Amino acid sequence: MNWTTPGKLRTKGIIGMNRRNIHYIGRYNDRRLYPLVDDKLQTKLLAQRYNITTPALIGTVSTQFGIKHMRRILDGHSGFVIKPAKGSGGKGILVIERLEGEHYVKPSGTHLTLRDVERHVSNILSGLYSLGGSPDVALVEGLIDFDESFSAYTYEGVPDIRVIVFKGYPVMAMMRLSTAASDGKANLHQGAVGVGIDIASGQAIRGVQFDRSRHDHPDTGHELASLHIDNWRTLLELAASCHEMTSLGYLGTDMVLDRQHGPMLLELNARPGLAIQMANGEGLRNRLDLIEQQADGVPPAQRVDFAQHHFARRSELESTREASA
């Protein structure tokens, strides 16, 4: 699908950064609430108060002096994730899959020493990965036991699900699949595959990589048409409830599916990107316009009902598979 002129973009309901920033973020997100989502530690603590499941917090390191306690913090945990509390775009996230002797092993197979891990934590604290380069805190979280049904759709990393939530309504969703090009990270700008997800069913409807349509995973070769997210209704209700949790009107919720705990909240974003429109082959404008017409005070479950009824889509991937059969 080629969107080459402003007129065509408007026809598809595509919103750009100016409209997103002024009409939605500026109007519906109180800036004083941003720290709740810009700081992952605050988000995690807030989620715990609202009984929203997040990855287990193993520990935190807030000072360079505290780095000497890393061995004690990591003791007994063969797999874990270290991330900057104020990081963005997946920067500074270190995933350790297992322990082999004295070495910590990344999903890629790279071996790190304790000194390597300590150096990474030191870089986090110094603000190397934080917004604006400000001093940061390192979070150590439990490794996600992600649902093996997605292993054929991803390369080394854990796939996550981004849902745009507007006034508490789940408006549009996509799954981000890590690739060799994205170095195992679920980051579209680095080459991850974005898969549009039907709000009504949790079924994959379209795939894209580097802004081009994609019908299979570039590394595993597995087709995307069969991708379906279980516990989809539960995931949408979790996303919708983040509106009450943060009081933000326009936000992106990032979630994963854990084999033991089901949908889990990874982080929130008060300024979510717009690539989700490309992944879905549809703009946000019409959906957001419809939500603006709805009354406030509707419970999360009813908001999800509304979204699933009004935003259902037929898969483009299925039609492509049928045509080639």
Side-chain angles (χ1 to χ4, degrees):
M1 188 176 297
N2 295 315
W3 300 326
T4 55
T5 68
K8 288 183 178 179
L9 293 173
R10 283 193 295 271
T11 299
K12 291 293 295 184
I14 303 296
I15 67 169
M17 289 183 64
N18 286 342
R19 183 171 181 84
R20 181 202 65 172
N21 293 343
I22 296 170
H23 190 87
Y24 302 111
I25 295 176
R27 181 179 296 183
Y28 292 98
N29 289 355
D30 189 327
R31 290 191 65 85
R32 68 182 175 81
L33 300 173
Y34 281 22
L36 296 177
V37 296
D38 286 345
D39 187 321
K40 295 179 181 62
L41 181 56
Q42 286 201 47
T43 302
K44 182 178 289 290
L45 297 176
L46 185 64
Q48 288 176 355
R49 291 206 299 271
Y50 279 80
N51 295 317
I52 291 178
T53 307
T54 63
L57 181 64
I58 294 173
T60 62
V61 182
S62 57
T63 66
Q64 294 288 344
F65 179 78
I67 293 175
K68 72 175 187 177
H69 299 297
M70 282 305 300
R71 184 183 293 276
R72 176 180 58 78
I73 293 172
L74 300 178
D75 187 40
H77 300 279
S78 59
F80 53 87
V81 178
I82 299 177
K83 62 177 63 173
K86 300 175 185 175
S88 63
K91 297 175 183 176
I93 296 177
L94 174 64
V95 178
I96 297 299
E97 194 172 68
R98 65 187 184 278
L99 187 64
E100 289 185 2
E102 290 293 312
H103 288 91
Y104 300 94
V105 185
K106 298 170 61 176
S108 63
T110 302
H111 285 58
L112 302 179
T113 64
L114 177 63
R115 181 67 62 87
D116 294 326
V117 174
E118 291 175 339
R119 187 179 301 112
H120 183 77
V121 173
S122 180
N123 287 336
I124 289 176
L125 299 183
S126 66
L128 183 61
Y129 310 107
S130 67
L131 296 166
S134 60
D136 209 342
V137 173
L139 276 63
V140 184
E141 294 182 339
L143 192 65
I144 297 163
D145 185 14
F146 90 97
D147 194 322
E148 288 297 329
S149 65
F150 295 118
S151 59
Y153 302 101
T154 189
Y155 175 84
E156 293 184 352
V158 175
D160 69 5
I161 301 109
R162 159 67 60 88
V163 180
I164 298 293
V165 178
F166 181 48
K167 296 182 65 176
Y169 290 81
V171 174
M172 191 172 282
M174 70 173 170
M175 177 173 268
R176 296 177 291 201
L177 309 175
S178 56
T179 65
S182 69
D183 192 29
K185 294 183 173 65
N187 187 308
L188 298 190
H189 298 295
Q190 295 178 340
V193 174
V195 181
I197 303 295
D198 175 33
I199 287 286
S201 65
Q203 183 71 39
I205 56 176
R206 190 171 188 268
V208 66
Q209 184 188 33
F210 293 124
D211 297 333
R212 295 186 177 183
S213 293
R214 181 109 218 168
H215 299 95
D216 60 2
H217 192 282
D219 303 305
T220 70
H222 197 77
E223 46 78 30
L224 302 176
S226 60
L227 192 156
H228 177 269
I229 301 173
D230 292 330
N231 295 317
W232 181 239
R233 172 77 191 199
T234 301
L235 187 147
L236 287 183
E237 290 189 5
L238 184 153
S241 66
C242 289
H243 171 61
E244 279 79 9
M245 185 178 89
T246 63
S247 296
L248 290 168
Y250 187 83
L251 74 159
T253 66
D254 293 340
M255 286 163 288
V256 292
L257 290 178
D258 184 89
R259 186 157 39 183
Q260 304 294 326
H261 305 287
M264 301 176 73
L265 177 66
L266 271 185
E267 59 184 81
L268 298 171
N269 195 320
R271 299 167 292 269
L274 298 169
I276 194 169
Q277 299 176 109
M278 182 64 74
N280 279 268
E282 180 182 349
L284 283 160
R285 177 70 180 269
N286 294 337
R287 299 188 184 195
L288 298 176
D289 285 350
L290 181 60
I291 297 304
E292 282 192 308
Q293 299 170 21
Q294 308 309 308
D296 295 331
V298 178
Q302 291 184 29
R303 299 197 300 261
V304 172
D305 287 340
F306 181 94
Q308 291 190 303
H309 176 73
H310 289 278
F311 303 145
R313 277 277 305 280
R314 186 176 187 273
S315 174
E316 297 177 21
L317 295 167
E318 284 292 348
S319 61
T320 302
R321 185 166 65 173
E322 291 167 1
S324 61

